[in-house]
Amino acid sequence: MTAWPRFKFYGTPAIFTSVLRDVLSGRIHSGDDVSRLERAVSQMTGSGNAVAVPQARVGLYLAIKALLARTSRRKVVMSPYTIYDVVNMVVCAGGIPIFADVDPRSGNLSAAAVQAALDDDTALVLVTHLHGMMADLSALIPLCAAHGALLIEDAAQAFGGRWTDRMAGTLGHVGVFSFGRAKNINCFFGGMVVTNDDALAAEMRQATGDWPQIPTGLLLKRVVHCAVIALAVSRLVFPWLTRHVFRYLALVGERKGAALFSTERNPIIRSRLPSEWHRRLTPMQGRIALKQIAEIDHQQEKRLAIVRVYAEGLRDIPQISLPVSMPDAQDIFLAYPIQVPDRMACQEHLLRAGLDVVIQHIGNCADYPVFSAYRHDCPQARQVAAAVLLLPTYPGYPLDQAHETVRQLQAYFAPKPADREK
């Protein structure tokens, strides 16, 4: 069986062809394609407004800052199980992060924990649909309404997900998507904010109106970086070289497991939005994203076929906690997050069996020393952050590889002879 990588970039190789064509024709910064992308996302989501942003986190910052300016309230209730810069966006926008614990079944905000955290100074509830799994909106939406708090959906990993008949990102006051390199819409950098609040959309456009487009040098640096990785995980290279490098680094390198490719190793606290983030999408990125939107539903069908293999094959293993979807949710599962005891040992077993899987690198921000001013004990987030192992779900990942992963996990957790004697 030929090994397959833990991830692949969406949109390849067409996105690199598009970049090359625009570089050669000098069209990186030419065209109205960002506006076209905004209109397409607005139409697809049914939102009155879609505002392109250079990164999803910048979109969160802009939305939070504008909404906090309307009220004297300052608290933003949020999950601690997220990338640290999501917390920083609250701080930079003038908010006070209030960490609420997560539901261990999904890793998303617990409605009960949110209810306990709400008070008269709560302005916003920031909910993250982690791994493309929808949070418990049936409980969170009425909670926010009852306390006069606005709901913001961090749908960075959930573009294309749905809650009954509505798209992720459209059930709160604001929704934020990511079009970064690891997402199912990939234009290297970027994101989109959707809202029916016309005044908010106008404020965000005004705030970013004077920002320059992402400079050519920075954009091409990211493109080259992604091209190298795309080649490394391609069928031409991965089975013969990269898989052995990944395995070596994960098993015996200094940066094992979750630290291997993590951008979360050294969290920092920010007091203001970095000036280099004051950028706008380029028309070239708009064109790249537009070409991928039509594939969203087809991609989701392929991911869900893989998810069904994992869910059915692993459900009877008591040591594995499988993700549990909300009844009204249609999750997209950018990866399939299982929780296992001693995930480093479990990952090592799978790697030695020729299966490339990765430990989730994000942690419990409520425990980070840099956020000690906002510390709150979130035991479920701490537990989940130490247990999640991500199984591949990207379109193109063979079903037989998913079945082999199931077989290897069944073998790994099967009772040993000594256990049976007990």
Side-chain angles (χ1 to χ4, degrees):
M1 181 175 291
T2 303
W4 287 72
R6 62 192 68 176
F7 71 92
K8 281 194 174 182
F9 290 130
Y10 284 77
T12 58
I15 56 174
F16 298 113
T17 303
S18 181
V19 169
L20 180 61
R21 183 168 54 247
D22 281 356
V23 169
L24 293 176
S25 62
R27 295 187 64 238
I28 291 178
H29 299 281
S30 300
D32 66 344
D33 301 277
V34 174
S35 296
R36 290 176 55 222
L37 176 62
E38 290 175 334
R39 290 193 295 270
V41 172
S42 176
Q43 182 177 7
M44 181 179 184
T45 61
S47 296
N49 304 276
V51 182
V53 288
Q55 299 181 79
R57 65 194 68 179
V58 176
L60 287 171
Y61 162 80
L62 291 168
I64 293 169
K65 183 178 180 180
L67 293 175
L68 288 179
R70 301 178 180 181
T71 177
S72 61
R73 300 181 179 188
R74 281 292 168 267
K75 292 182 179 178
V76 180
V77 177
M78 64 181 300
S79 169
Y81 187 46
T82 184
I83 64 171
Y84 68 81
D85 262 333
V86 168
V87 184
N88 278 327
M89 295 304 95
V90 175
V91 176
C92 291
I96 301 171
I98 303 297
F99 293 125
D101 214 344
V102 303
D103 183 336
R105 299 171 301 172
S106 65
N108 289 326
L109 264 179
S110 159
V114 170
Q115 184 171 23
L118 291 169
D119 62 24
D120 291 341
D121 195 33
T122 303
L124 308 169
V125 173
L126 173 58
V127 59
T128 299
H129 302 311
L130 193 63
H131 305 125
M133 295 186 67
M134 300 289 286
D136 187 4
L137 296 177
S138 62
L140 291 169
I141 289 174
L143 271 179
C144 290
H147 285 78
L150 298 179
L151 181 68
I152 297 179
E153 292 180 76
D154 175 2
Q157 297 185 7
F159 189 82
R162 292 185 175 275
W163 186 270
T164 60
D165 60 343
R166 295 177 62 181
M167 275 193 65
T170 68
L171 292 103
H173 195 79
V174 181
V176 182
F177 303 114
S178 173
F179 298 155
R181 57 188 173 180
K183 305 304 189 298
N184 57 338
I185 297 290
N186 166 22
C187 61
F188 306 107
F189 292 103
M192 191 72 69
V193 178
V194 295
T195 182
N196 288 321
D197 186 333
D198 295 341
L200 175 62
E203 289 176 55
M204 295 179 66
R205 292 189 190 281
Q206 183 177 14
T208 60
D210 294 333
W211 291 0
Q213 292 180 9
I214 297 173
T216 300
L218 178 62
L219 184 54
L220 292 184
K221 181 179 178 180
R222 174 62 70 96
V223 170
V224 170
H225 175 75
C226 290
V228 170
I229 296 177
L231 178 63
V233 299
S234 70
R235 303 307 300 151
L236 293 174
V237 177
F238 183 83
W240 323 113
L241 176 61
T242 315
R243 63 172 290 203
H244 301 293
V245 174
F246 276 13
R247 190 171 83 162
Y248 174 81
L249 292 174
L251 298 180
V252 301
E254 292 183 2
R255 289 163 49 187
K256 295 183 179 180
L260 185 54
F261 294 110
S262 175
T263 56
E264 299 286 299
R265 293 186 303 277
N266 300 302
I268 61 174
I269 189 166
R270 304 182 192 272
S271 60
R272 63 182 60 186
L273 194 73
S275 59
E276 60 269 24
W277 292 4
H278 292 207
R279 299 285 188 265
R280 290 184 294 118
L281 283 190
T282 65
M284 180 186 77
Q285 292 170 278
R287 288 188 285 274
I288 289 172
L290 276 166
K291 292 176 181 177
Q292 298 174 56
I293 284 180
E295 294 295 315
I296 287 295
D297 290 339
H298 184 53
Q299 291 172 354
Q300 185 168 345
E301 290 176 7
K302 291 186 174 182
R303 282 194 301 270
L304 292 182
I306 299 169
V307 165
R308 285 191 290 271
V309 172
Y310 294 142
E312 293 169 8
L314 302 177
R315 63 186 176 189
D316 294 328
I317 302 177
Q319 299 95 325
I320 298 179
S321 295
L322 300 182
V324 177
S325 297
M326 293 292 105
D328 293 323
Q330 297 176 42
D331 300 326
I332 70 167
F333 288 105
L334 278 186
Y336 191 68
I338 64 172
Q339 296 176 47
V340 296
D342 195 355
R343 61 180 177 176
M344 293 283 285
C346 187
Q347 182 199 37
E348 179 176 346
H349 171 81
L350 294 174
L351 289 172
R352 293 191 185 282
L355 296 161
D356 189 50
V357 300
V358 66
I359 286 172
Q360 172 56 278
H361 65 282
I362 64 174
N364 174 27
C365 290
D367 283 344
Y368 290 174
V370 293
F371 297 131
S372 60
Y374 314 108
R375 180 172 173 78
H376 180 72
D377 189 34
C378 297
Q380 297 289 359
R382 185 179 303 117
Q383 176 182 321
V384 171
V388 171
L389 189 67
L390 300 178
L391 306 183
T393 59
Y394 57 85
Y397 190 74
L399 289 179
D400 64 351
Q401 285 279 291
H403 282 292
E404 180 62 17
T405 299
V406 167
R407 284 191 289 269
Q408 288 295 334
L409 286 169
Q410 289 171 341
Y412 178 74
F413 287 109
K416 307 300 186 288
D419 296 329
R420 296 192 190 99
E421 292 174 3
K422 296 177 183 179

